[in-house]
Amino acid sequence: MMYKEIQSEKVPALGLGTYRLTGKDCARAVEQALSIGYRHIDTAQMYGNEDEVGQAMQASGVDRSEIFLTTKIWPSDFAHDRAIEKTHDSLKKLRTEYVDLLLMHWPSSSVPHGETLEAMRELQDKGKVRHIGVSNFSPQQVEDAAHHATIFCNQVEYNAGRHQDAILEQAQEMDYLLTAYRPIARGAILNDATLKEIGESHGKSTAQVALRWLIQQEKVCAIPKATSEAHLKSNFDIFDFELTDAEMKRIGGLT
Ligand SMILES: NC(=O)c1ccc[n+]([C@@H]2O[C@H](COP(=O)([O-])OP(=O)(O)OC[C@H]3O[C@@H](n4cnc5c(N)ncnc54)[C@H](OP(=O)(O)O)[C@@H]3O)[C@@H](O)[C@H]2O)c1
C-alpha cells in the first residue's frame, strides 16, 4: 500500500468505491476488499449501503483504527440539525463511533455552505468526524468553504479522460486530498490504445495503468468501484510497478 500525507494524516492511496453496490453484493465486496488489503472505503448516505458496509467491516475482523472510512451528506440534508441527525444515522448503520472523513456530497444553492460546515465542525468537536471535506466543489467554492472549516478533501471526477488541473494545483497548495472518483471512467478508458501500450510494457492491464497514473500524483488518491473478486484484486495490484516521468506526461496529455 502507498499512503498520501495530508495535514499530517496518512491516507491509503487506493480505496474501494461503493456507489451502486448494494445488499449482499456490497457486504461481500467490502469484506473481500478488506481481506485483500484495502484499508480505505468510500460510501455515502445517498448510496443506501452504509448498513452493508458496516456489517462487512465488522465481519472482516480488521481493526476499525486501520480503516479510513468516508461518508457523505446529500444536499437535501444540508440544514444544520438535519446534517447532524443524518450523520448520527450513518454512524449507527456503519457500526462505528466515528468516520474518518465526512463530505458535503455536492454544492448546494439552497443552504449556505457555512451552515453545513458549522454542523460538521460540531460533529468533529464531539469526535464523531475526524476530517471535514467536500465533493464536486470548484476551487472558488473550496476557498469559501475553508473560511468555515479546515478542508481535508475535495472528491471529484478525475481520470485519464477527465482532467482537473485547477483542483490538482489547489490541492497541492492547500495540502488537501484530491480523491479521484470514477477513476477508470466506469470502463470508458479500458480500450485506450496509449494506456494499453504502456500497460503491456509493464505487464499490467489498462485499468491498472489508469489507477497507477492517479495515485502516483501528489495529494491524489483513487477509489475504483469493483464487484467481482477478480476486479478487486487486480485494482489493488498496482504497488509493484512505477510509471516513468515520460509515461506520466503522456497519459496526462490524453484527452
Ligand atoms: N462524489 C461523487 O459525486 C461521486 C460520483 C460518482 C462516484 N463516486 C465514488 O467513486 C467510486 C468510483 O466511481 P464509479 O463507480 O462511478 O466508476 P469507476 O470506479 O470508474 O468504474 C466502476 C466500473 O468499472 C468496472 N471495473 C472495476 N474494476 C475493473 C477492472 N479492473 N477491469 C474492468 N472493469 C472494472 C466495475 O465493474 P464491476 O463492478 O462489475 O466490477 C464498474 O462497472 C464510486 O463507487 C463512488 O464511491 C463519487
Side-chain angles (χ1 to χ4, degrees), residues 79-91:
H80 176 277
D81 292 1
R82 182 78 180 151
I84 291 179
E85 189 187 324
K86 288 293 287 186
T87 306
H88 282 289
D89 279 358
S90 288
L91 295 176

Side-chain angles (χ1 to χ4, degrees), residues 16-37:
L16 175 69
T18 65
Y19 184 33
R20 285 183 306 268
L21 264 177
T22 52
K24 284 194 178 129
D25 271 350
C26 177
R28 195 237 340 114
V30 172
E31 207 179 327
Q32 251 164 9
L34 290 167
S35 102
I36 290 165

Side-chain angles (χ1 to χ4, degrees), residues 59 182 210:
R182 223 164 267 166

Side-chain angles (χ1 to χ4, degrees), residues 16-21 42-43 47 72 74 103 105-106 135-136 155-156 159 180-187 190 205 207-208 211 223-228 230-232 234-235:
L16 175 69
T18 65
Y19 184 33
R20 285 183 306 268
L21 264 177
D42 181 84
T43 181
Y47 299 170
K72 319 182 189 83
W74 194 247
L103 304 179
H105 206 143
W106 282 89
S135 179
N136 300 298
Q155 181 178 130
V156 295
N159 57 55
Y181 79 65
R182 223 164 267 166
I184 54 172
R186 295 182 68 183
L190 293 178
S205 71
Q208 288 170 326
L211 294 172
I223 49 166
K225 174 253 184 184
T227 309
S228 65
H231 285 168
L232 287 166
S234 90
N235 293 347

Side-chain angles (χ1 to χ4, degrees), residues 18-227:
T18 65
Y19 184 33
R20 285 183 306 268
L21 264 177
T22 52
K24 284 194 178 129
D25 271 350
C26 177
R28 195 237 340 114
V30 172
E31 207 179 327
Q32 251 164 9
L34 290 167
S35 102
I36 290 165
Y38 287 76
R39 291 293 180 267
H40 176 166
I41 311 284
D42 181 84
T43 181
Q45 292 165 0
M46 191 274 265
Y47 299 170
N49 63 11
E50 288 174 307
D51 214 2
E52 287 78 8
V53 170
Q55 269 173 38
M57 289 198 309
Q58 204 165 55
S60 73
V62 175
D63 202 89
R64 172 67 187 87
S65 64
E66 284 185 35
I67 303 169
F68 189 90
L69 176 65
T70 301
T71 197
K72 319 182 189 83
I73 312 173
W74 194 247
S76 55
D77 300 314
F78 276 178
H80 176 277
D81 292 1
R82 182 78 180 151
I84 291 179
E85 189 187 324
K86 288 293 287 186
T87 306
H88 282 289
D89 279 358
S90 288
L91 295 176
K92 210 175 194 179
K93 289 178 180 152
L94 290 164
R95 294 153 171 79
T96 182
E97 296 289 311
Y98 65 93
V99 287
D100 296 278
L101 179 59
L102 181 66
L103 304 179
M104 296 175 70
H105 206 143
W106 282 89
S108 166
S109 48
S110 49
V111 179
H113 292 163
E115 177 175 335
T116 316
L117 291 160
E118 179 54 40
M120 292 163 88
R121 273 186 44 199
E122 287 169 31
L123 288 159
Q124 190 177 38
D125 288 345
K126 294 209 163 86
K128 306 292 178 193
V129 166
R130 293 188 55 233
H131 301 287
I132 292 170
V134 297
S135 179
N136 300 298
F137 273 40
S138 68
Q140 184 60 54
Q141 286 169 324
V142 173
E143 213 176 299
D144 294 343
H147 291 124
H148 301 278
T150 303
I151 301 302
F152 187 83
C153 168
N154 188 12
Q155 181 178 130
V156 295
E157 180 173 356
Y158 184 30
N159 57 55
R162 171 91 163 81
H163 288 200
Q164 289 288 9
D165 295 343
I167 290 170
L168 195 57
E169 197 176 309
Q170 188 185 47
Q172 285 160 11
E173 272 169 17
M174 286 177 63
D175 186 23
Y176 69 68
L177 184 69
L178 192 174
T179 301
Y181 79 65
R182 223 164 267 166
I184 54 172
R186 295 182 68 183
I189 53 175
L190 293 178
N191 290 319
D192 181 86
T194 305
L195 295 177
K196 213 177 238 175
E197 184 194 314
I198 293 173
E200 274 160 14
S201 73
H202 291 278
K204 292 288 175 182
S205 71
T206 314
Q208 288 170 326
V209 171
L211 294 172
R212 180 74 205 188
W213 175 73
L214 288 166
I215 66 159
Q216 224 175 280
Q217 298 174 49
E218 211 189 322
K219 307 291 176 198
V220 178
C221 72
I223 49 166
K225 174 253 184 184
T227 309

